Structures are given as C-alpha cells and as structure tokens.
Amino acid sequence: MSGNFFSSTLSKAIEWARAGSLWYVSVGSGCCGDEVMETVGCRYDLERFGCVPQVNPEQADLLIVSGITSYKAAPHLRALYDAMLSPKYVLAVGACASCGGAFSPESSYSVVAGVDKIIPVDVYVPGCPPRPEAIMNGLITLQEKIRGYQRTQTEA
Amino acid sequence: MDTNELKRKLEIKGAGSSLKQSLAIDVGSLAHTAQFLRDEPNWQMDDLENISAFEMKGDILLTYFLKSSSTGKTMVLRATVTPKTETSEVDAVSVSHLWAIAIPLEQEISELFGVRFQGGKTRPHQVLPEGWRGFPLRKSYVFPIEFASIKHQRHEHE
Ligand code: SF4
C-alpha cells in the first residue's frame, strides 16, 4: 500500500466523518433565529444530519449565524468564531446575515452589511426568513462542499 | 370652549376620552414642574410612562408622558431644546431623581440625539459601541463610511 493511496483514503474518511458530525453553535439575533430553532426541533430534526447543538465554541465545527449583526455585536461574533477550532464552517441564514437584508447600509447606520464582513462564510441561505427546508438545504450543501462533491448546475 | 367641554364633545363623537392634559414648558423649569406634579396631592404623577424625543426644524422636542397610579390622571409635558449647531450637544435637565425609569430613557436619548441631561446618570456608550461618533437620530447625521475597520457599504463601488 503506497503512502499516497493511504493518505487520500484516510482524508476521504475524515471528510466523510466531518460532514456527518457538524456540531454547531448558533447565534440568532433576529427573526430568522426562530426558523433555525424550528429546524432543530422535532418536526425537522436537524440531528438526523449529525448536527448536535453545542454551547462551547471549542467543541463546535459549525457556526450558524442568523439575523442582524450590529457593529456593537461584531467583535463578539468574531471572538466566538476565533474561539472555534479549525476546521470550522459558517452558515449564514437569511438575508440579514447574508447582506444586511431589510437593514441594508442605505437604511441602517448600525447593522453590518453581511457577516462575511467579519468572518468567512461558507454557505449563504437566502430568504426573509428562509424556511426550515431551505436551511436544511444549506446544511446539505455545506456537507457536500466538505465531501468535495459538486452539484449539477441547473440552467437559469 | 374649555377643555372639559371639548372632552365631552369628543366622547359624544365616539373619539373616546383619550384627551390628555398637556403642558408646553421651558426646559429650565422642567425639574420643578415635574416635581410639583409628582408631589401635588391632586395630581400625584408617580409614574413616568415614557420620554420620547424627535427633531423638528433644528429643535429637539422632549415629551414626557406622566401617569398617576392613584388618581388615574395622565399628563403630557413637552420641552424644547435647541442645539447651537447641527452636530453640537445640547443641555436639558434630568428627572431621574423623581422617576428612576428615566435613567435608561435619558440614556438612549442622550446617545441617539446628543442631549446632555444635567444631574442625570447617563454614562458614555451604553447603547452605541465605544468609539461611535455623532448622534444617529439627528436629521443631519451622515451614515458612517466604516466603523471599526468594517466598511459600511456592501461593495466598494457603492
Ligand atoms: S432576514 Fe428577515 S426574517 Fe431573517 S432576521 Fe432578517 S428581517 Fe428577520
């Protein structure tokens, strides 16, 4: 067995395990937080994707950010992200987390125009608010990204 | 037509009895008037429901909504302060020694409108983050280009 063959197979196994056990911390500072809770709850049951809620960022692989992030909250969100151990992923749920949404730079002086201005985001889930199905779709997209799969592109 | 007659007519027209006593007062006499209304046995305004502020034509209008829990009477006090320039702070008097609930209300108004409540308990940067410049609810306020190295606009070219 060559070293190369061994390491690539092992990394595949690690990616498979990583994608299937995304333990997360959730930051909900807006109405989208309710949809995230709904997704976690018994009806949609996020745990069947291997997602377990965590309170300690050091034990989490995924940061789910939903809702508005103000300039005042920005350093705290950054500190939370920094406290997570690599590899770490970020799911931005809803228009506010993705780009400021209804509190866009034109209409608000205090809201950051998307959390990607503070931390790197892996998957954006659009919607105001997105339905739990959309959040789950975002999570599956993230899992596919971790496993290195690519989705078939649909024609616009 | 006196106030009571107006109130009666409004009630007949189905507008309800929402008519409140309202006093427009000089900001200098605000603390005395408020204390009088709180301690006077006929009024006993022991509850401050809200303080609101808004800017109109360069003036900042402070409105105090008072209520008496024993007599049920309500009253509105209005005082106007005028900043020297569009961006300068302006002084008013605090009523937090009369109603403790005034502390957070004055705090918000002081940071968002730049009103200094003399004798109050306002502290810097309770509502806005540290290092914030300007008073966001003034009409002259210009949105920041960036804050704490975070660009305000989503894209550079905007
Ligand atoms: S995207 Fe819409 S639903 Fe979500 S936090 Fe913003 S305003 Fe609320």
Side-chain angles (χ1 to χ4, degrees), chain A residues 59-88:
Chain A
Q59 289 176 359
D61 317 290
L62 171 64
L63 177 61
I64 301 179
V65 191
S66 55
I68 308 112
T69 302
S70 66
Y71 284 118
K72 199 169 179 178
H76 305 290
L77 184 65
R78 177 77 218 188
L80 184 67
Y81 178 78
D82 287 344
M84 290 167 65
L85 301 180
S86 290
K88 48 192 170 184

Side-chain angles (χ1 to χ4, degrees), chain A residues 71-72 74 98-100 104-118 124, chain B residues 112 125-129 132 136-137 141 143-144 146-147 150-156 158:
Chain A
Y71 284 118
K72 199 169 179 178
S98 302
C99 64
S104 64
E106 291 75 30
S107 56
S108 171
Y109 57 86
S110 59
V111 172
V112 178
V115 287
D116 54 3
K117 289 195 166 268
I118 316 162
Y124 301 83
Chain B
L112 300 178
H125 305 303
Q126 299 299 302
V127 181
L128 296 169
W132 191 272
L137 295 193
Y141 182 73
F143 281 16
E146 68 167 51
F147 181 75
I150 305 168
K151 291 261 185 294
H152 188 62
Q153 290 296 338
R154 179 122 187 98
H155 303 293
E156 289 296 316
E158 282 177 39

Side-chain angles (χ1 to χ4, degrees), chain A:
Chain A
M1 189 186 290
S2 81
N4 270 348
F5 174 77
F6 179 73
S7 77
S8 83
T9 310
L10 186 63
S11 71
K12 280 256 172 291
I14 290 171
E15 279 158 11
W16 169 82
R18 240 174 224 156
S21 63
L22 285 170
W23 292 9
Y24 66 91
V25 277
S26 174
V27 178
S29 54
C31 6
C32 276
D34 288 354
E35 295 298 319
V36 173
M37 281 188 263
E38 179 76 7
T39 317
V40 173
C42 56
R43 182 157 186 163
Y44 293 94
D45 190 15
L46 207 63
E47 268 187 50
R48 68 201 152 106
F49 297 101
C51 293
V52 182
Q54 294 295 312
V55 284
N56 185 354
E58 284 172 17
Q59 289 176 359
D61 317 290
L62 171 64
L63 177 61
I64 301 179
V65 191
S66 55
I68 308 112
T69 302
S70 66
Y71 284 118
K72 199 169 179 178
H76 305 290
L77 184 65
R78 177 77 218 188
L80 184 67
Y81 178 78
D82 287 344
M84 290 167 65
L85 301 180
S86 290
K88 48 192 170 184
Y89 309 97
V90 177
L91 186 70
V93 173
C96 287
S98 302
C99 64
F103 309 92
S104 64
E106 291 75 30
S107 56
S108 171
Y109 57 86
S110 59
V111 172
V112 178
V115 287
D116 54 3
K117 289 195 166 268
I118 316 162
I119 51 177
V121 173
D122 292 277
V123 175
Y124 301 83
V125 182
C128 180
R131 286 189 56 86
E133 289 90 341
I135 300 173
M136 286 194 296
N137 187 41
L139 191 92
I140 294 166
T141 308
L142 178 65
Q143 287 179 328
E144 286 174 352
K145 200 174 163 183
I146 296 167
R147 288 184 189 129
Y149 295 169
Q150 205 131 35
R151 284 190 175 191
T152 314
Q153 298 290 315
T154 47
E155 291 291 321

